[in-house]
Amino acid sequence: MKVNLKVWRQKNNNTAGKLVEYSLDNISPDMSFLEMFDVLNAELIRKGDEPVAFDHDCREGICGMCSMYINGRAHGPQTGATTCQLHMRSFSDGDTIVVEPWRARAFPVIKDLMVDRTAFDRVVQAGGYVSVNTGSAPDANEIAIPRTIADEAMDAAQCIGCGACVAACKNASAMLFVSAKVSHMAVLPQGQAERKIRAERMVAQMDAEGFGACSFTGACSVECPKSISLDHIARMNREYLGAKLTSENV
Amino acid sequence: MKLEAKIPEGPLAEKWARHKFGLKLVNPANKRKYDIIVVGTGLAGASAAASLAELGYNVKAFCFQDSPRRAHSIAAQGGINAAKNYQNDGDSVFRLFYDTIKGGDYRAREGNVYRLAEVSVNIIDQCVAQGVPFAREYGGLLANRSFGGAQVSRTFYARGQTGQQLLLGAYSALSRQVANGKVKLYPRTEMLDLVVEGGKARGIITRNLVTGKIESHSAHAVLLCTGGYGNVFYLSTNAMGSNVTAAWRAHKHGALFANPCFTQIHPTCIPVKGDYQSKLTLMSESLRNDGRVWVPKRKEDSEKIRKGLMKPTDLKEEDRDYFLERRYPSFGNLVPRDVASRNAKYVCDEGRGVSKTGLAVYLDFADAIKRDGRKTIEAKYGNLFEMYEKIVDDNPYETPMMIYPAVHYTMGGLWVDYNLMTTIPGLYALGEANFSDHGANRLGASALMQGLADGYFVIPYTVGDYLATIGPADKVSVDSPVFKQAEQRVQDQIQRLLSINGTTPVDEYHRKLGLIMWDYCGMSRTEEGLKKAKKMIQELKAEFWSNVKVTGDNEEMNQTLEQAGRVADFIELGELMVDDALNRNESCGGHFREEYSTEDGEAKRDDENYAYVAAWEYKGENQPAVLHKEDLVFENVKLTQRSYK
């Protein structure tokens, strides 16, 4: 098949970017979207042009590295999938495809389609953990956790930290990402000791990073490759309010 | 050079306890005077960095990804073994040890493997305390499953995302130490050289992947937790960025590389589709618990299926060959990975493979769905079936899945002693980057176990012994000539790559190398093929250095340049793998030499002559590597020929 691409090219964070057009013939419908970019880059390199920079690593939908905004949607037209899991069979012969980086103030562009998501790491550093030193854990079966609770924690914990939620949100809010971590630990017995301080600190860090407010449109959950539920945002709001009302901390 | 493995004396079960007591301790107040570099933030790296920081050491952690949470440990699906015996089915530390030694075809050290089994139970405790949401029974206690042919249920899992959840646990512990100021993180930073002075590891040279800046980092000890080298085959289940560069450059400074030819080919991967293919996707081995592997009995039927003239579901039961069940009645579809892979290759070589390429076999769930109902199968494997459908565009509930073996894990790696120290004092290798625990073949659900064992429960003890010996003053400044020279070496190599300005993209060399390795140093190897491969790799190397095209420059984000450096190292490693495979005149585990097999195609191990670790010393550019042998001593297990019949 043949595709026309409009790809965001930006040399670095200090230079203005623009959409550049490319067209590719002989694309197989079985190619992944990133493999189509490999073909484009090989052509560019042969011509002596700079290949398009983009983040990718595992190419099986779990590392959270790939991050393309395709035809106005985070990770493209499929739901419940990352960019690397998108195949060209999702497009039609002759389609024009617009590819941009994640757009959010808290995710500055590094180059082309690559953005800086270290803000997410800093949010986790603010409290996304249980404080337990290596070696000090009790036997794993000492605390029974009902299966429904374990499943609920797992639903939240499977977030891959890709940032599609932020990219999809008109406010560039990180509520889905942050709430998934808060929720994962709030439902587990292991997370109880730091439950309040965790919610307070992670929300404070989220705000400090410049992510926008949540207006609950639900776009984040729709575009999330792991289909993380909006329920977690509701839970985080409750956790945060409860923590604030009785706060001795922040 | 004499290889001192430093395996402690005494009965197997007491070795580690005795050894720990004999190790020197660093006074709590002195720990802050020591700096430790950790390269890589996967299970081994993140757990080591977090645990060492908790003890009070100053840690610098490096990864090439944009966040430590993305290391490729995240992709492990199936689970993690531990000898908890929660299922009351006869598991024990000794049984896990025995299974691992036997599964590794008796090419691993007894002492190391026993220690691994011993600390496995602590890993599960630690992970649960961190909030890792392992699967549970309705009573709230942890669930287990049997995995990869084990006769007991000792595998803990978190849906099909166990690696992800364990890594996020380690990442959260690491993040806590970053917040505490005990770990400094360097994401998007790649190690390009090791600095050795006075015979000891003193630090590393890195490239900031965003700015291109070359930087020196000095420390008392350097830990390489940089994973395996499966991407030498180009197509593998590894992440695109997984590479051997850190380990290889350490090797060039004197760290011996052990058993490089021991690579694991995983039987259940999604088959290759076209030339554009960039990576292979693994389907968890757990699928073999319920799926039945088959190909048509007759070549003609396979041909019809390949041409689309017949559907696999149309083929009658008696026309199907369930070749694993037929050849290995007692283990059936659950034979170890190397055996399953090789047999899939055999039936495809006979022309009985399916899919358009003829390089695939079926993994059929029809019987399991009939027996347990679609709902049960969906609950067990739903996400895997979904993944398969996304990639292949075919519904595995209705048509049998197609699978083919792919490179998955590398058992070889930097040689380390019992303390995980390489042959360069102060330089350690953890996790997949070292060679020590899996022998010639790794069992399923054991990689996660080893990465976390090394990081959480081994290195915190052993690194202290070295640090206490050298003292806090024994450190070299980044302003010293040895660091400056190393920086210059790195700069020179980068300039050399940029100045070739040939015509061929890096990718193409990588693909060519991969094909050579897969054809001649893959599932099945011969002396003739290996000799041919060696010559081809040397020619490829010469061509690479005269005709590769690297665009852009150093002072920016330049993914082509990163890749060029990695492929250059893979080419050199490829040659060493071939040398190692040529040297090992036996078949064991993942290393199968056709000359050393029985009449019905089973491996023939040679314990008399090859029960040793082959550790290779680098002797300079285009010089033959020198072999050093560490004899493997077995006092607790009797060496038997593996039989899964």
Side-chain angles (χ1 to χ4, degrees), chain B residues 74-94:
Chain B
I74 202 148
Q77 298 166 357
I80 176 166
N81 286 332
K84 281 283 198 186
N85 193 31
Y86 281 158
Q87 305 308 322
N88 195 32
D89 60 356
D91 199 13
S92 63
V93 168
F94 193 85

PDB file of all heavy atoms in Angstrom, chain B residues 74-94:
ATOM      1  N   ILE B  74      10.790  -5.695  31.940  1.00  0.00           N
ATOM      2  CA  ILE B  74       9.360  -5.391  31.969  1.00  0.00           C
ATOM      3  C   ILE B  74       8.557  -6.311  31.055  1.00  0.00           C
ATOM      4  O   ILE B  74       7.363  -6.491  31.250  1.00  0.00           O
ATOM      5  CB  ILE B  74       9.130  -3.913  31.590  1.00  0.00           C
ATOM      6  CG1 ILE B  74       7.780  -3.434  32.137  1.00  0.00           C
ATOM      7  CG2 ILE B  74       9.169  -3.676  30.073  1.00  0.00           C
ATOM      8  CD1 ILE B  74       7.736  -2.018  32.512  1.00  0.00           C
ATOM      9  N   ALA B  75       9.206  -6.882  30.070  1.00  0.00           N
ATOM     10  CA  ALA B  75       8.464  -7.664  29.082  1.00  0.00           C
ATOM     11  C   ALA B  75       8.268  -9.120  29.488  1.00  0.00           C
ATOM     12  O   ALA B  75       7.526  -9.843  28.837  1.00  0.00           O
ATOM     13  CB  ALA B  75       9.161  -7.594  27.737  1.00  0.00           C
ATOM     14  N   ALA B  76       8.926  -9.552  30.568  1.00  0.00           N
ATOM     15  CA  ALA B  76       8.779 -10.949  30.976  1.00  0.00           C
ATOM     16  C   ALA B  76       7.328 -11.206  31.351  1.00  0.00           C
ATOM     17  O   ALA B  76       6.725 -10.430  32.064  1.00  0.00           O
ATOM     18  CB  ALA B  76       9.692 -11.258  32.154  1.00  0.00           C
ATOM     19  N   GLN B  77       6.784 -12.297  30.846  1.00  0.00           N
ATOM     20  CA  GLN B  77       5.351 -12.513  31.031  1.00  0.00           C
ATOM     21  C   GLN B  77       5.040 -13.537  32.120  1.00  0.00           C
ATOM     22  O   GLN B  77       4.309 -13.278  33.055  1.00  0.00           O
ATOM     23  CB  GLN B  77       4.741 -12.995  29.706  1.00  0.00           C
ATOM     24  CG  GLN B  77       4.865 -11.978  28.589  1.00  0.00           C
ATOM     25  CD  GLN B  77       4.578 -12.577  27.210  1.00  0.00           C
ATOM     26  OE1 GLN B  77       4.339 -13.765  27.079  1.00  0.00           O
ATOM     27  NE2 GLN B  77       4.603 -11.747  26.187  1.00  0.00           N
ATOM     28  N   GLY B  78       5.638 -14.701  31.989  1.00  0.00           N
ATOM     29  CA  GLY B  78       5.161 -15.887  32.683  1.00  0.00           C
ATOM     30  C   GLY B  78       5.184 -15.871  34.189  1.00  0.00           C
ATOM     31  O   GLY B  78       4.156 -16.103  34.821  1.00  0.00           O
ATOM     32  N   GLY B  79       6.325 -15.610  34.805  1.00  0.00           N
ATOM     33  CA  GLY B  79       6.333 -15.669  36.247  1.00  0.00           C
ATOM     34  C   GLY B  79       7.725 -15.753  36.833  1.00  0.00           C
ATOM     35  O   GLY B  79       8.720 -15.620  36.139  1.00  0.00           O
ATOM     36  N   ILE B  80       7.743 -15.969  38.144  1.00  0.00           N
ATOM     37  CA  ILE B  80       9.006 -16.058  38.877  1.00  0.00           C
ATOM     38  C   ILE B  80       8.948 -17.270  39.799  1.00  0.00           C
ATOM     39  O   ILE B  80       7.974 -17.465  40.533  1.00  0.00           O
ATOM     40  CB  ILE B  80       9.290 -14.748  39.651  1.00  0.00           C
ATOM     41  CG1 ILE B  80      10.560 -14.869  40.487  1.00  0.00           C
ATOM     42  CG2 ILE B  80       8.099 -14.338  40.535  1.00  0.00           C
ATOM     43  CD1 ILE B  80      11.082 -13.544  41.012  1.00  0.00           C
ATOM     44  N   ASN B  81       9.981 -18.083  39.755  1.00  0.00           N
ATOM     45  CA  ASN B  81      10.033 -19.274  40.585  1.00  0.00           C
ATOM     46  C   ASN B  81      10.486 -18.948  41.999  1.00  0.00           C
ATOM     47  O   ASN B  81      11.312 -18.059  42.204  1.00  0.00           O
ATOM     48  CB  ASN B  81      11.033 -20.283  39.995  1.00  0.00           C
ATOM     49  CG  ASN B  81      10.488 -20.959  38.758  1.00  0.00           C
ATOM     50  OD1 ASN B  81       9.278 -21.100  38.612  1.00  0.00           O
ATOM     51  ND2 ASN B  81      11.373 -21.373  37.867  1.00  0.00           N
ATOM     52  N   ALA B  82       9.979 -19.686  42.950  1.00  0.00           N
ATOM     53  CA  ALA B  82      10.490 -19.611  44.310  1.00  0.00           C
ATOM     54  C   ALA B  82      10.131 -20.907  45.019  1.00  0.00           C
ATOM     55  O   ALA B  82       9.043 -21.445  44.831  1.00  0.00           O
ATOM     56  CB  ALA B  82       9.895 -18.424  45.053  1.00  0.00           C
ATOM     57  N   ALA B  83      11.062 -21.366  45.849  1.00  0.00           N
ATOM     58  CA  ALA B  83      10.887 -22.657  46.515  1.00  0.00           C
ATOM     59  C   ALA B  83      10.085 -22.496  47.801  1.00  0.00           C
ATOM     60  O   ALA B  83      10.510 -22.900  48.876  1.00  0.00           O
ATOM     61  CB  ALA B  83      12.257 -23.264  46.799  1.00  0.00           C
ATOM     62  N   LYS B  84       8.929 -21.898  47.702  1.00  0.00           N
ATOM     63  CA  LYS B  84       8.107 -21.660  48.893  1.00  0.00           C
ATOM     64  C   LYS B  84       7.376 -22.922  49.345  1.00  0.00           C
ATOM     65  O   LYS B  84       7.002 -23.038  50.502  1.00  0.00           O
ATOM     66  CB  LYS B  84       7.074 -20.567  48.586  1.00  0.00           C
ATOM     67  CG  LYS B  84       7.629 -19.136  48.621  1.00  0.00           C
ATOM     68  CD  LYS B  84       7.803 -18.681  50.061  1.00  0.00           C
ATOM     69  CE  LYS B  84       7.930 -17.156  50.140  1.00  0.00           C
ATOM     70  NZ  LYS B  84       8.250 -16.754  51.530  1.00  0.00           N
ATOM     71  N   ASN B  85       7.127 -23.810  48.411  1.00  0.00           N
ATOM     72  CA  ASN B  85       6.321 -25.003  48.679  1.00  0.00           C
ATOM     73  C   ASN B  85       4.975 -24.658  49.311  1.00  0.00           C
ATOM     74  O   ASN B  85       4.462 -25.388  50.159  1.00  0.00           O
ATOM     75  CB  ASN B  85       7.082 -26.013  49.552  1.00  0.00           C
ATOM     76  CG  ASN B  85       6.402 -27.375  49.572  1.00  0.00           C
ATOM     77  OD1 ASN B  85       5.760 -27.765  48.594  1.00  0.00           O
ATOM     78  ND2 ASN B  85       6.520 -28.093  50.676  1.00  0.00           N
ATOM     79  N   TYR B  86       4.389 -23.547  48.926  1.00  0.00           N
ATOM     80  CA  TYR B  86       3.052 -23.189  49.421  1.00  0.00           C
ATOM     81  C   TYR B  86       2.003 -24.214  48.971  1.00  0.00           C
ATOM     82  O   TYR B  86       0.941 -24.305  49.556  1.00  0.00           O
ATOM     83  CB  TYR B  86       2.639 -21.811  48.880  1.00  0.00           C
ATOM     84  CG  TYR B  86       3.247 -20.628  49.587  1.00  0.00           C
ATOM     85  CD1 TYR B  86       3.342 -19.386  48.949  1.00  0.00           C
ATOM     86  CD2 TYR B  86       3.704 -20.711  50.905  1.00  0.00           C
ATOM     87  CE1 TYR B  86       3.876 -18.279  49.583  1.00  0.00           C
ATOM     88  CE2 TYR B  86       4.248 -19.612  51.550  1.00  0.00           C
ATOM     89  CZ  TYR B  86       4.328 -18.384  50.880  1.00  0.00           C
ATOM     90  OH  TYR B  86       4.853 -17.292  51.511  1.00  0.00           O
ATOM     91  N   GLN B  87       2.294 -24.940  47.894  1.00  0.00           N
ATOM     92  CA  GLN B  87       1.283 -25.860  47.353  1.00  0.00           C
ATOM     93  C   GLN B  87       1.397 -27.257  47.948  1.00  0.00           C
ATOM     94  O   GLN B  87       0.643 -28.146  47.569  1.00  0.00           O
ATOM     95  CB  GLN B  87       1.375 -25.926  45.819  1.00  0.00           C
ATOM     96  CG  GLN B  87       1.272 -24.574  45.132  1.00  0.00           C
ATOM     97  CD  GLN B  87       0.047 -23.789  45.565  1.00  0.00           C
ATOM     98  OE1 GLN B  87      -1.017 -24.355  45.763  1.00  0.00           O
ATOM     99  NE2 GLN B  87       0.198 -22.477  45.741  1.00  0.00           N
ATOM    100  N   ASN B  88       2.376 -27.447  48.831  1.00  0.00           N
ATOM    101  CA  ASN B  88       2.488 -28.741  49.499  1.00  0.00           C
ATOM    102  C   ASN B  88       2.675 -29.878  48.493  1.00  0.00           C
ATOM    103  O   ASN B  88       2.171 -30.979  48.677  1.00  0.00           O
ATOM    104  CB  ASN B  88       1.205 -28.981  50.329  1.00  0.00           C
ATOM    105  CG  ASN B  88       1.377 -30.114  51.323  1.00  0.00           C
ATOM    106  OD1 ASN B  88       2.477 -30.337  51.826  1.00  0.00           O
ATOM    107  ND2 ASN B  88       0.306 -30.844  51.591  1.00  0.00           N
ATOM    108  N   ASP B  89       3.382 -29.567  47.402  1.00  0.00           N
ATOM    109  CA  ASP B  89       3.531 -30.591  46.366  1.00  0.00           C
ATOM    110  C   ASP B  89       4.958 -31.104  46.235  1.00  0.00           C
ATOM    111  O   ASP B  89       5.353 -31.617  45.199  1.00  0.00           O
ATOM    112  CB  ASP B  89       3.002 -30.076  45.017  1.00  0.00           C
ATOM    113  CG  ASP B  89       3.727 -28.827  44.529  1.00  0.00           C
ATOM    114  OD1 ASP B  89       4.601 -28.310  45.271  1.00  0.00           O
ATOM    115  OD2 ASP B  89       3.415 -28.351  43.420  1.00  0.00           O
ATOM    116  N   GLY B  90       5.724 -30.942  47.307  1.00  0.00           N
ATOM    117  CA  GLY B  90       7.042 -31.559  47.312  1.00  0.00           C
ATOM    118  C   GLY B  90       8.167 -30.666  46.845  1.00  0.00           C
ATOM    119  O   GLY B  90       9.268 -31.119  46.553  1.00  0.00           O
ATOM    120  N   ASP B  91       7.927 -29.373  46.769  1.00  0.00           N
ATOM    121  CA  ASP B  91       9.020 -28.484  46.371  1.00  0.00           C
ATOM    122  C   ASP B  91       9.913 -28.213  47.575  1.00  0.00           C
ATOM    123  O   ASP B  91       9.506 -28.367  48.727  1.00  0.00           O
ATOM    124  CB  ASP B  91       8.454 -27.160  45.819  1.00  0.00           C
ATOM    125  CG  ASP B  91       9.495 -26.427  44.979  1.00  0.00           C
ATOM    126  OD1 ASP B  91      10.527 -27.052  44.636  1.00  0.00           O
ATOM    127  OD2 ASP B  91       9.290 -25.248  44.656  1.00  0.00           O
ATOM    128  N   SER B  92      11.135 -27.841  47.286  1.00  0.00           N
ATOM    129  CA  SER B  92      12.091 -27.497  48.340  1.00  0.00           C
ATOM    130  C   SER B  92      13.211 -26.724  47.686  1.00  0.00           C
ATOM    131  O   SER B  92      13.323 -26.701  46.454  1.00  0.00           O
ATOM    132  CB  SER B  92      12.656 -28.767  48.980  1.00  0.00           C
ATOM    133  OG  SER B  92      13.377 -29.502  48.002  1.00  0.00           O
ATOM    134  N   VAL B  93      14.046 -26.109  48.504  1.00  0.00           N
ATOM    135  CA  VAL B  93      15.209 -25.409  47.961  1.00  0.00           C
ATOM    136  C   VAL B  93      16.055 -26.383  47.150  1.00  0.00           C
ATOM    137  O   VAL B  93      16.513 -26.072  46.050  1.00  0.00           O
ATOM    138  CB  VAL B  93      16.027 -24.756  49.102  1.00  0.00           C
ATOM    139  CG1 VAL B  93      17.374 -24.270  48.593  1.00  0.00           C
ATOM    140  CG2 VAL B  93      15.238 -23.615  49.725  1.00  0.00           C
ATOM    141  N   PHE B  94      16.231 -27.588  47.691  1.00  0.00           N
ATOM    142  CA  PHE B  94      17.068 -28.544  46.982  1.00  0.00           C
ATOM    143  C   PHE B  94      16.452 -28.938  45.644  1.00  0.00           C
ATOM    144  O   PHE B  94      17.147 -29.084  44.655  1.00  0.00           O
ATOM    145  CB  PHE B  94      17.329 -29.799  47.825  1.00  0.00           C
ATOM    146  CG  PHE B  94      18.430 -30.645  47.234  1.00  0.00           C
ATOM    147  CD1 PHE B  94      19.764 -30.384  47.526  1.00  0.00           C
ATOM    148  CD2 PHE B  94      18.133 -31.671  46.346  1.00  0.00           C
ATOM    149  CE1 PHE B  94      20.785 -31.132  46.952  1.00  0.00           C
ATOM    150  CE2 PHE B  94      19.156 -32.429  45.763  1.00  0.00           C
ATOM    151  CZ  PHE B  94      20.482 -32.156  46.072  1.00  0.00           C
TER     152      PHE B  94
END
